[in-house]
Amino acid sequence: MLAYLSVGEAERWRSYWKSCCASGQPAWLTSRTQGWAGNYVVKFWEPAWKSIVLARVRQILAQGYDGFYLDRVDTYENVSAPGGSRAAMIQFVREISAAARSIKGDAAILVQNAEELLDSDSYASAIDGIAKEDLFHGVAHNGARNPSTMVAGSIALLKRAKARGKSVFVVEYLSGSTASSVAAEIRKQGFVPNFAGRNLSN
């Protein structure tokens, strides 16, 4: 059982919000959203934000979870960290992984998206798998087929992870005959298909 943990956004309904954000905006918090109301981009390299995330790692493992599903790793693309946001995110994921495994040696670390980080050996060694959204369809959230060069580039990176023994899941927001066809494509690549509705409130 994996616990969802957003590493690149702060969420208004989380327990840390009242103590950290209700009386003013901390240095690590921005006012920007990336598509979901109540979720705000964070300066994920800031020590205070890291402390919040690592505290949640400890709390979650104490509740008996087996590991983490890390979301918004791709936030690094939309902020500018000192020394480079890509390197800062790789380091952060490594820190989360190390902290989790210091408590539970076999803690599983699954990341969502940002497959371009898989070309970093240190990053790949810190995770157990990746879930890629919209691999074949819907990168523009309209259900259309993605450009072939984009699909091929992502598949090459995901296969690199699979060759290293990492689990690869593909999440597509499709239904009906299109979903059946795409499921076959996903399995052909050696990945695990998953289908869902994009509106999480339904």
Side-chain angles (χ1 to χ4, degrees):
M1 180 71 71
L2 302 184
Y4 176 92
L5 182 60
S6 180
V7 301
E9 289 181 343
E11 301 151 313
R12 290 183 62 91
W13 54 89
R14 299 296 181 185
S15 59
Y16 57 77
W17 186 272
K18 185 175 181 180
S19 60
C20 294
C21 309
S23 60
Q25 185 167 306
W28 50 261
L29 182 65
T30 78
S31 58
R32 294 164 48 207
T33 65
Q34 298 178 120
W36 295 98
N39 289 24
Y40 298 94
V41 173
V42 296
K43 299 173 184 178
F44 58 84
W45 59 90
E46 290 281 350
W49 173 250
K50 287 188 175 186
S51 292
I52 290 170
V53 172
L54 295 177
R56 296 195 68 211
V57 166
R58 294 189 293 270
Q59 292 164 0
I60 288 166
L61 289 177
Q63 292 171 348
Y65 285 89
D66 300 305
F68 300 89
Y69 187 100
L70 304 183
D71 196 10
R72 298 323 312 231
V73 174
D74 56 356
T75 291
Y76 83 90
E77 298 176 316
N78 299 321
V79 289
S80 180
S85 298
R86 173 189 165 92
M89 181 56 79
I90 289 172
Q91 178 62 27
F92 191 23
V93 171
R94 291 181 63 195
E95 290 171 8
I96 293 167
S97 177
R101 290 169 180 168
S102 73
I103 299 168
K104 179 179 172 57
D106 60 351
I109 306 296
L110 190 73
V111 295
Q112 178 163 282
N113 298 326
E115 66 274 14
E116 63 278 2
L117 299 183
L118 293 168
D119 63 8
S120 164
D121 289 338
S122 65
Y123 178 79
S125 66
I127 68 172
D128 297 290
I130 181 169
K132 168 61 180 173
E133 291 181 294
D134 302 317
L135 175 59
F136 289 99
H137 283 254
V139 72
H141 294 185
N142 59 6
R145 183 79 176 190
N146 297 334
S148 58
T149 53
M150 177 184 294
V151 173
S154 292
I155 286 175
L157 289 164
L158 295 171
K159 282 194 167 182
R160 178 171 178 167
K162 184 173 174 59
R164 295 189 55 162
K166 312 300 178 181
S167 299
V168 178
F169 303 90
V170 176
V171 182
E172 296 279 359
Y173 300 96
L174 301 168
S175 60
S177 60
T178 303
S180 297
S181 175
V182 172
E185 289 187 86
I186 294 169
R187 293 190 181 97
K188 184 178 180 181
Q189 299 296 337
F191 309 150
V192 179
N194 295 268
F195 294 90
R198 193 177 292 277
N199 186 349
L200 301 181
S201 65
N202 291 340

